[in-house]
């Protein structure tokens, strides 16, 4: 059985990535940054699927938190992670 993972995450203000974290190698940072430039400003949550992964974004007050996860992972876990990151970052 494969382990489901949160692969890459970042926090950005506007289009500038302030911090990121990943335990895996890959082009996650470049794909995530490209998607950040194209996100619709009116949504507070956004999903994007790419190559068996999902990119999940959470917006609040010009702050964007993002996580790349395996596509098989329950969607509630990545958004719970993003809420926690947002709260910890704002604190």
């Amino acid at each position: 059985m494969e382990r489901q993972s949160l692969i890459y995450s970042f926090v950005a203000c506007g289009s500038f990535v302030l911090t990121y974290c990943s335990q895996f190698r890959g082009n996650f940072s470049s794909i995530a940054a490209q998607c950040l430039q194209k996100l619709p400003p009116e949504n507070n949550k956004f999903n994007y699927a790419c190559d068996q992964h999902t990119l999940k974004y959470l917006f609040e007050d010009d702050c964007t938190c993002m996580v790349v996860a395996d596509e098989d992972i329950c969607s509630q876990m990545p958004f719970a992670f993003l809420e926690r990151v947002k709260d910890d970052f704002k604190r």
Side-chain angles (χ1 to χ4, degrees), residues 38-47 57-61 63-64:
K38 299 176 184 178
L39 293 176
E42 65 276 355
N43 292 337
N44 67 343
K45 290 184 179 179
F46 187 78
N47 293 304
Y57 293 83
L58 178 65
F59 308 103
E60 188 173 300
D61 301 328
C63 180
T64 304

Side-chain angles (χ1 to χ4, degrees), residues 50-82:
C50 180
D51 296 331
Q52 299 178 342
H53 297 95
T54 59
L55 290 80
K56 299 187 181 293
Y57 293 83
L58 178 65
F59 308 103
E60 188 173 300
D61 301 328
D62 200 37
C63 180
T64 304
C65 300
M66 187 280 312
V67 65
V68 176
D70 287 336
E71 73 178 355
D72 296 333
I73 203 166
C74 170
S75 68
Q76 293 171 343
M77 185 205 300
F79 279 123
F81 170 80
L82 291 175

Side-chain angles (χ1 to χ4, degrees), residues 8 10 26-37 55 57 66:
Y8 173 84
F10 73 61
N27 62 345
F28 303 111
S29 61
S30 62
I31 291 171
Q34 288 174 16
C35 291
L36 178 63
Q37 302 297 321
L55 290 80
Y57 293 83
M66 187 280 312

Side-chain angles (χ1 to χ4, degrees), residues 10-13 16-20 63-65 82-91:
F10 73 61
V11 176
C13 280
F16 182 73
V17 175
L18 300 173
T19 188
Y20 67 91
C63 180
T64 304
C65 300
L82 291 175
E83 288 287 346
R84 174 81 187 264
V85 168
K86 177 194 65 148
D87 293 344
D88 287 351
F89 192 79
K90 287 191 170 199
R91 204 174 343 187

